[in-house]
Amino acid sequence: MPSVQKQTYAQRASKHANPAAKALLETIERKKSNLCVSVDVTKQADFLRIIDVVGPYICLVKTHIDVVEDFEPSLIDRLKELSMKHDFLIFEDRKFADIGNTVALQYSSGVYRISSWSHITNAHPVPGPGIVTGLASVGQPLGRGLLLLAEMSTKGNLATGAYTAQAVEIARAHRDFVIGFIAMRRMSEDNDEDFLILTPGVGLDSKGDAMGQQYRTPREVVFESGCDVIIVGRGIYGKGGDEEVKAQAERYRKEGWAAYEERIRA
Amino acid sequence: MPSVQKQTYAQRASKHANPAAKALLETIERKKSNLCVSVDVTKQADFLRIIDVVGPYICLVKTHIDVVEDFEPSLIDRLKELSMKHDFLIFEDRKFADIGNTVALQYSSGVYRISSWSHITNAHPVPGPGIVTGLASVGQPLGRGLLLLAEMSTKGNLATGAYTAQAVEIARAHRDFVIGFIAMRRMSEDNDEDFLILTPGVGLDSKGDAMGQQYRTPREVVFESGCDVIIVGRGIYGKGGDEEVKAQAERYRKEGWAAYEERIRA
């Protein structure tokens, strides 16, 4: 069997035991898109408009629901409708980072009830294995999947070396719920385990921002580093009207897919 | 000048440049309480009732505002009223953990507008210095203070060794806004810098929970480890009616203060 990064998304989908991971891999294959758009805007109307425009080009939308100033519960219904209309999954980028008892409440309860609508969410491994136990107690019965932040894209970040290695160990101990990593490169070469790698900090036109974000191209991320999904934010929606947003989404989709095809052929 | 942990809270208050840290130290001295109560309940009514009961015994209330299911913006007004009535500060335990651009939005915007009411908040250092820059851009003009999570109380946590040391370095580079740490012991012996140490995982009757939380006594935390504020949650409000909650709050206040008096006398 070829290594995970030489297998097609379809081959991996057929074998994956977690429902959210399986659905994401199937969506990627069906839409020929490994593009996740990160939508960080503070108005409901902008949020829904951008997602409706980029929807046809993405496998996944990444949200920070807690930055929406005029949030109402109906926003979640609209988001779910767009997810059906355009055939993508939802990933609330909550970066849970508390003790097990607290994250279980933050995931299931409160205003946002994240577990009720977000197929995938993520957590920092820094609190130790208890954070996964806490989130799994809520998400696993719902068929959700969790990504651990094994690495970050920002300058001077501390998710390196032993920290990253321990993140992988925590994931291995909970493979039924932890479906992969937020990371900058493939984390494991073990062909018996298929961890998805979702990678932020992707941009074609900028090298970074003033607050430490650093960018790489889709080819660097997917072909050179063996990652599975590229996460693009302001590079797509930060540039103007709907036509421009659509053009950028298609541009990134195409670049990400070409890098994947180059990888499985190589 | 004696080391920071041999100085009184009043002495430290008189010298501290950050408005939130100064106010907290003054409150501790005035109320003879280094007790922070962590209120993790999912109903507004319980939230307000517990805080009203424990209010006289605490210097600080620690909230997870995002677990309150029936949250309405008026809850913040009620919380601020209780803060005035009982003379305590507010610490939203948000554990920010994203890139600078995102945390700035999460802190200022969204449904909760945390920066508008929480005197103190906290962040994980894992994204690197950019997280402090992002939060400071919002909180510093408002006179807020930030705690970095240098250590955690949970089993198998990754905030150790080089990670903890780097947290201290990030704090030192932003001393006007970073007022201290969530940690299990004093982080610095440099008498020119006064970092407050707030310590979770404090309990008198239990050694831990099923999700990896581990408990130490107020004396272990304040006298032996040199910490400044004890954070107690379920040990105070998890035990029954209002009279019992009040009795537990007074019990922890007394234990925490005795440990402090023993420390400055020793």
Side-chain angles (χ1 to χ4, degrees), chain A residues 40-42 62 64-69 71 93-95 97-102 104-106 108-113 124-131 133-134 137 152-160 162-163 166-167 170 209-213 234, chain B residues 40-42 62 64-71 93-95 97-102 104-106 109-113 124-131 133-134 137 152-160 162-163 166-167 170 209-213 234:
Chain A
D40 296 337
V41 291
T42 58
K62 182 170 87 62
H64 285 121
I65 202 69
D66 63 341
V67 309
V68 178
E69 285 172 9
F71 174 87
D93 184 11
R94 176 56 179 77
K95 294 187 172 67
D98 213 311
I99 66 174
N101 185 66
T102 300
L105 288 173
Q106 290 173 323
S108 64
S109 302
V111 168
Y112 299 121
R113 303 177 184 278
H124 282 289
V126 61
I131 190 169
T133 314
S137 73
M152 295 190 77
S153 56
T154 38
K155 197 171 171 181
N157 80 77
L158 311 187
T160 59
Y163 182 102
Q166 286 178 277
I170 293 173
D209 72 9
M211 289 186 189
Q213 177 68 297
R234 289 166 276 173
Chain B
D40 296 336
V41 291
T42 58
K62 183 170 87 63
H64 284 122
I65 202 70
D66 63 341
V67 309
V68 179
E69 285 172 9
D70 52 355
F71 174 86
D93 183 12
R94 175 56 179 77
K95 293 186 171 68
D98 214 311
I99 66 174
N101 184 66
T102 300
L105 288 173
Q106 291 173 323
S109 300
V111 168
Y112 299 122
R113 303 178 183 276
H124 283 289
V126 61
I131 190 169
T133 314
S137 73
M152 295 190 76
S153 56
T154 40
K155 198 171 170 182
N157 80 77
L158 312 187
T160 58
Y163 182 101
Q166 287 178 276
I170 293 173
D209 73 8
M211 290 186 187
Q213 177 67 298
R234 288 167 277 173

Side-chain angles (χ1 to χ4, degrees), chain A:
Chain A
M1 187 168 56
S3 71
V4 170
Q5 60 177 313
K6 302 298 286 178
Q7 297 170 34
T8 65
Y9 292 116
Q11 287 169 331
R12 294 168 61 185
S14 69
K15 291 176 302 180
H16 214 295
N18 177 281
K22 191 185 208 53
L24 180 59
L25 287 162
E26 288 170 347
T27 306
I28 293 171
E29 184 73 37
R30 193 163 54 238
K31 296 182 75 175
K32 298 201 187 316
S33 172
N34 52 27
L35 171 62
C36 170
V37 171
S38 169
V39 186
D40 296 337
V41 291
T42 58
K43 302 290 181 196
Q44 292 194 73
D46 294 332
F47 180 84
L48 294 171
R49 182 182 50 79
I50 292 168
I51 294 173
D52 201 20
V53 170
V54 302
Y57 309 100
I58 64 178
C59 59
L60 187 67
V61 66
K62 182 170 87 62
T63 58
H64 285 121
I65 202 69
D66 63 341
V67 309
V68 178
E69 285 172 9
D70 53 354
F71 174 87
E72 293 165 3
S74 63
L75 182 64
I76 299 303
D77 299 323
R78 300 294 89 72
L79 176 60
K80 290 199 287 196
E81 286 163 14
L82 289 172
S83 150
M84 305 281 269
K85 174 180 173 189
H86 294 300
D87 185 22
F88 59 77
L89 275 73
I90 306 170
F91 163 28
E92 166 62 18
D93 184 11
R94 176 56 179 77
K95 294 187 172 67
F96 289 106
D98 213 311
I99 66 174
N101 185 66
T102 300
V103 295
L105 288 173
Q106 290 173 323
Y107 190 24
S108 64
S109 302
V111 168
Y112 299 121
R113 303 177 184 278
I114 294 167
S115 63
S116 74
W117 52 269
S118 185
H119 305 96
I120 294 169
T121 190
N122 59 356
H124 282 289
V126 61
I131 190 169
V132 177
T133 314
L135 292 169
S137 73
V138 172
Q140 210 167 336
L142 300 170
R144 304 309 187 197
L146 181 70
L147 301 165
L148 288 181
L149 286 121
E151 298 184 322
M152 295 190 77
S153 56
T154 38
K155 197 171 171 181
N157 80 77
L158 311 187
T160 59
Y163 182 102
T164 301
Q166 286 178 277
V168 175
E169 289 312 305
I170 293 173
R172 285 196 172 123
H174 299 89
R175 280 173 51 187
D176 39 5
F177 184 56
V178 181
I179 62 173
F181 301 101
I182 300 294
M184 310 314 288
R185 58 191 165 88
R186 185 147 293 280
M187 288 283 102
S188 158
E189 292 300 328
D190 181 343
N191 290 345
D192 287 338
E193 59 189 18
D194 184 344
F195 287 122
L196 289 159
I197 308 293
L198 281 71
T199 306
V202 176
L204 284 163
D205 304 317
S206 165
K207 288 289 161 201
D209 72 9
M211 289 186 189
Q213 177 68 297
Q214 307 172 109
Y215 294 111
R216 293 188 301 161
T217 66
R219 189 173 184 280
E220 286 174 296
V221 166
V222 176
F223 176 72
E224 294 178 17
S225 300
C227 305
D228 297 314
V229 173
I230 57 172
I231 303 174
V232 186
R234 289 166 276 173
I236 287 180
Y237 70 79
K239 294 191 176 181
D242 290 358
E243 284 308 308
E244 180 62 19
V245 172
K246 185 184 293 192
Q248 291 295 334
E250 171 58 6
R251 177 186 179 210
Y252 278 94
R253 187 206 63 78
K254 210 171 147 187
E255 293 264 352
W257 195 256
Y260 156 73
E261 291 195 314
E262 185 177 358
R263 182 175 95 195
I264 54 170
R265 271 199 319 265

Side-chain angles (χ1 to χ4, degrees), chain A residues 66 94 97-98 106, chain B residues 18-21 24 36 60-66 79 89-98 102-109 112-125 131-150 171 174 176-183 195-199 231:
Chain A
D66 63 341
R94 176 56 179 77
D98 213 311
Q106 290 173 323
Chain B
N18 177 281
L24 179 60
C36 170
L60 187 67
V61 65
K62 183 170 87 63
T63 58
H64 284 122
I65 202 70
D66 63 341
L79 176 60
L89 274 72
I90 306 170
F91 163 27
E92 166 61 17
D93 183 12
R94 175 56 179 77
K95 293 186 171 68
F96 289 105
D98 214 311
T102 300
V103 296
L105 288 173
Q106 291 173 323
Y107 189 24
S108 64
S109 300
Y112 299 122
R113 303 178 183 276
I114 295 167
S115 63
S116 74
W117 53 270
S118 185
H119 305 96
I120 294 169
T121 189
N122 59 356
H124 283 289
I131 190 169
V132 177
T133 314
L135 292 169
S137 73
V138 173
Q140 209 168 337
L142 300 170
R144 304 310 188 195
L146 181 71
L147 302 164
L148 288 182
L149 286 122
H174 299 88
D176 38 5
F177 185 55
V178 181
I179 61 172
F181 302 99
I182 300 293
F195 287 122
L196 288 159
I197 308 293
L198 281 71
T199 307
I231 303 174

Side-chain angles (χ1 to χ4, degrees), chain B:
Chain B
M1 185 169 54
S3 70
V4 170
Q5 61 177 312
K6 303 296 287 179
Q7 295 170 36
T8 65
Y9 293 117
Q11 286 169 330
R12 294 167 61 185
S14 69
K15 289 176 303 179
H16 214 295
N18 177 281
K22 190 184 207 56
L24 179 60
L25 288 161
E26 287 171 347
T27 305
I28 293 171
E29 184 75 37
R30 191 163 54 237
K31 296 181 76 175
K32 299 200 187 315
S33 172
N34 51 27
L35 172 62
C36 170
V37 172
S38 169
V39 186
D40 296 336
V41 291
T42 58
K43 302 289 182 198
Q44 291 194 73
D46 295 333
F47 180 85
L48 293 171
R49 182 181 50 78
I50 292 167
I51 294 172
D52 201 20
V53 171
V54 302
Y57 308 101
I58 64 178
C59 59
L60 187 67
V61 65
K62 183 170 87 63
T63 58
H64 284 122
I65 202 70
D66 63 341
V67 309
V68 179
E69 285 172 9
D70 52 355
F71 174 86
E72 292 166 2
S74 63
L75 182 64
I76 300 303
D77 299 323
R78 299 294 90 72
L79 176 60
K80 290 199 287 195
E81 286 164 15
L82 288 171
S83 149
M84 305 281 269
K85 174 180 172 188
H86 294 300
D87 186 23
F88 59 77
L89 274 72
I90 306 170
F91 163 27
E92 166 61 17
D93 183 12
R94 175 56 179 77
K95 293 186 171 68
F96 289 105
D98 214 311
I99 66 174
N101 184 66
T102 300
V103 296
L105 288 173
Q106 291 173 323
Y107 189 24
S108 64
S109 300
V111 168
Y112 299 122
R113 303 178 183 276
I114 295 167
S115 63
S116 74
W117 53 270
S118 185
H119 305 96
I120 294 169
T121 189
N122 59 356
H124 283 289
V126 61
I131 190 169
V132 177
T133 314
L135 292 169
S137 73
V138 173
Q140 209 168 337
L142 300 170
R144 304 310 188 195
L146 181 71
L147 302 164
L148 288 182
L149 286 122
E151 297 184 320
M152 295 190 76
S153 56
T154 40
K155 198 171 170 182
N157 80 77
L158 312 187
T160 58
Y163 182 101
T164 301
Q166 287 178 276
V168 175
E169 288 313 306
I170 293 173
R172 284 195 173 127
H174 299 88
R175 278 172 54 188
D176 38 5
F177 185 55
V178 181
I179 61 172
F181 302 99
I182 300 293
M184 311 313 288
R185 58 189 166 86
R186 185 147 293 280
M187 289 283 102
S188 158
E189 292 301 330
D190 181 343
N191 290 345
D192 287 337
E193 59 189 18
D194 183 345
F195 287 122
L196 288 159
I197 308 293
L198 281 71
T199 307
V202 177
L204 284 162
D205 305 315
S206 165
K207 288 290 162 202
D209 73 8
M211 290 186 187
Q213 177 67 298
Q214 306 172 109
Y215 293 111
R216 292 188 300 161
T217 66
R219 189 173 184 280
E220 287 174 295
V221 165
V222 176
F223 176 72
E224 294 178 19
S225 300
C227 305
D228 297 314
V229 173
I230 57 172
I231 303 174
V232 186
R234 288 167 277 173
I236 286 181
Y237 70 78
K239 294 191 173 176
D242 289 358
E243 283 308 310
E244 180 62 19
V245 172
K246 185 183 293 193
Q248 291 296 335
E250 171 59 7
R251 177 185 178 213
Y252 278 94
R253 186 206 64 77
K254 210 171 147 186
E255 293 264 352
W257 194 256
Y260 157 72
E261 291 194 314
E262 186 177 356
R263 182 175 96 194
I264 54 169
R265 270 199 320 265

